[in-house]
Amino acid sequence: MTSVSMATDLPDLDRSSAGAQWSRFCDLLWHHDPLGLWVDVSRMALTAAEMQNLQAPLAQAFEAMEALEKGAIANPDEGRQVGHYWLRQPDLAPDRSVAEHIAAEVRRLQTFGQDVLGGSLTAPGGQPFSDVLWIGIGGSGLGPMLMIRSLQENRRGLSFHFLDNVDPAGMSRLFDALGDRLLTTLVVVVSKSGGTPEPHLGMLQARERLQQLGGQWNRQAVAITMLDSQLDRTAAAETWLNRFDMFDWVGGRTSITSAVGLLPAVLAGIDADAFLQGAAVMDTATRRPDLRSNPAALMAASWYAAGEGRGCRDMVVLPYRDRLEVFSRYLQQLVMESLGKRLDRQGRVVNQGIAVYGNKGSTDQHAYVQQLRDGIDNFFVTFIEVLEDPTDIPCLDGALPGDYLDGFLQGTRAALFEGGRQSMTLTLRRFDARALGALIALFERAVGLYGELIDINAYHQPGVEAGKKAAAQVLELQGQVESLLADGRERGIEEIAADLNRAEDCESIFFIVRHLCGNPRGYSSNGSWSDPRGLRVRRG
């Protein structure tokens, strides 16, 4: 690893000299004409000396990425390969059967989508499907949401609804909004292992609500999961409408070019082939083992230089298009789950990561850009702009909204630069399915290269698994508490803990009891908590 020092001013740049800035801009601007995409890192703290120092680590990173694409075990915790790059170019897969399986799944889901949209596959009552209820969390929810919110056109495809949390109020609101249309709704359940609690609970609630309306679950339900998972076996046994493979070697945060992203694309009338093509073209561009001609390497090197290789700066994502509002949330998972690691590959405690947040421009110019310009300098901004504007928005009162939007971006970029704040700018000639595929592939490769530079495994998530285990332990404790209190005897928190031989868990028991008694909440006249199940716990 190479050590760099944090700079309070942008290096190698005399901002009083327009010629010097123009020269640096030209030197650090990458352009791909067929994709219509520019990457400008000229306003990041990336010096010529730092680029030279990163040459050797990047050479190793390029080799590691090449090995990854050839099938090396990238997730030793689970003994898994990481093959999301094969999804958009199946002939790269190290095994012909894998390549054939990928191509077959794409054909199957496209045929299925066409049958649904064309009306040859209908809801149980014979009516066309009207809606999609998508049940998935993490990348299995964010990827499809990004696809739909950014690319679906009005009056094309089915209407989408997302159940991506176990918030009962959110579930109630969603089901109320769907109402009787649930009878003509295609329900897609996404869970790689089939055992993740959140999608399982969402599935149970959707199934119960549908059956209350007289619907037929198995004729409306679709599963996206690994072959022979718990969910796959359930769907097969109950003869669900269809099942699609979420390959063992695809992680949730890189699953958008699998059925997880392609099925919603097809059902929404989005050009899935163009989306895959854009990702494949960017994959080719980011394989070049040269820093200056590889946009993902330029981004990874800029991240490294900005944050001293330790993630000392946050990434603020500012896309200047409403369609990309979800993109910052998508990048939060891709970047933070991949790079946020306690240990490096040598087992040393490093507490790595890059925090990601953002919304959209120019909205944020009236929100937190004030702090970015004048407050603590602990970030870099990633601007994303689109040049092409729709033609149905006229010039009124001498003003085109697109011109103002571009002016706001350029003004904010200039204001940050004047304050010595770092930013990079990604520019798209137009925004469509191909462009989104390219953007996603660009960030995926940048994350992979940066992970190699800081010597962490970007393809496992021990912290997520730890959270799941902790939640399971809390639910197990809740069951013990409920069983104990079922005798109707009044107890205090410490008594409950003592009776369960869980003296160290008084705080957890307090939270559990408070939740139990809050559904609905009620205090008795003698100062005890109570609930409809007859639980009685003294407030003291």
Side-chain angles (χ1 to χ4, degrees), residues 135 188-196 199-200 203-204 207 217 221-240 242-244 246:
I135 302 175
V188 183
V189 183
V190 189
S191 176
K192 183 174 179 179
S193 67
T196 305
H200 178 70
M203 177 191 74
L204 293 179
R207 184 174 191 151
W217 175 261
V222 174
I224 299 179
T225 185
M226 285 195 306
L227 293 176
D228 203 38
S229 72
Q230 177 182 329
L231 176 59
D232 187 55
R233 292 193 297 270
T234 297
E238 297 178 354
T239 62
W240 288 18
N242 218 324
R243 296 140 53 210
F244 295 102
M246 188 174 179

Side-chain angles (χ1 to χ4, degrees), residues 224-458:
I224 299 179
T225 185
M226 285 195 306
L227 293 176
D228 203 38
S229 72
Q230 177 182 329
L231 176 59
D232 187 55
R233 292 193 297 270
T234 297
E238 297 178 354
T239 62
W240 288 18
L241 193 59
N242 218 324
R243 296 140 53 210
F244 295 102
D245 192 8
M246 188 174 179
F247 308 102
D248 174 73
W249 33 264
V250 174
R253 59 189 175 276
T254 55
S255 64
I256 194 170
T257 49
S258 74
V260 172
L262 299 183
L263 182 59
V266 172
L267 293 172
I270 296 165
D271 191 342
D273 289 331
F275 175 69
L276 290 174
Q277 183 193 45
V281 172
M282 181 56 75
D283 286 342
T284 299
T286 55
R287 287 190 189 104
R288 297 194 65 175
D290 175 70
L291 171 57
R292 289 180 180 272
S293 59
N294 183 323
L298 283 171
M299 287 171 60
S302 296
W303 298 351
Y304 189 98
E308 300 183 32
R310 301 199 311 272
C312 295
R313 290 183 184 273
D314 301 340
M315 182 192 304
V316 181
V317 182
L318 282 179
Y320 275 66
R321 290 287 166 166
D322 289 353
R323 284 179 176 269
L324 284 168
E325 183 177 1
V326 178
F327 194 52
S328 59
R329 291 177 56 197
Y330 181 85
L331 289 182
Q332 275 184 331
Q333 180 177 17
L334 175 64
V335 174
M336 296 176 72
E337 192 170 69
S338 297
L339 302 180
K341 302 296 161 61
R342 178 173 178 267
L343 304 176
D344 66 10
R345 287 198 177 101
Q346 316 310 316
R348 298 171 297 202
V349 176
V350 291
N351 299 118
Q352 277 284 1
I354 297 177
V356 178
Y357 63 93
N359 183 18
K360 64 181 180 181
S362 65
T363 301
D364 288 331
Q365 292 180 206
H366 303 278
Y368 54 74
V369 167
Q370 167 62 36
Q371 177 169 313
L372 300 186
R373 173 62 175 81
D374 295 335
I376 183 171
D377 184 10
N378 64 343
F379 67 92
F380 61 90
V381 172
T382 299
F383 292 105
I384 304 175
E385 66 172 336
V386 179
L387 301 181
E388 184 179 82
D389 294 330
T391 57
D392 62 339
I393 302 299
C395 180
L396 299 177
D397 201 19
L400 278 169
D403 294 345
Y404 272 87
L405 190 67
D406 178 68
F408 291 144
L409 185 153
Q410 299 301 334
T412 303
R413 180 173 177 267
L416 293 178
F417 180 64
E418 290 168 3
R421 310 305 167 94
Q422 299 182 51
S423 70
M424 67 174 65
T425 303
L426 311 183
T427 302
L428 299 166
R429 183 179 296 122
R430 65 180 58 88
F431 183 74
D432 52 19
R434 192 166 182 261
L436 181 62
L439 262 185
I440 287 168
L442 173 62
F443 276 93
E444 284 178 350
R445 186 80 64 166
V447 165
L449 291 170
Y450 183 85
E452 295 299 326
L453 289 180
I454 61 176
D455 196 29
I456 56 96
N457 186 346

Side-chain angles (χ1 to χ4, degrees), residues 499 519 526:
D499 287 349
N519 293 282
N526 64 3

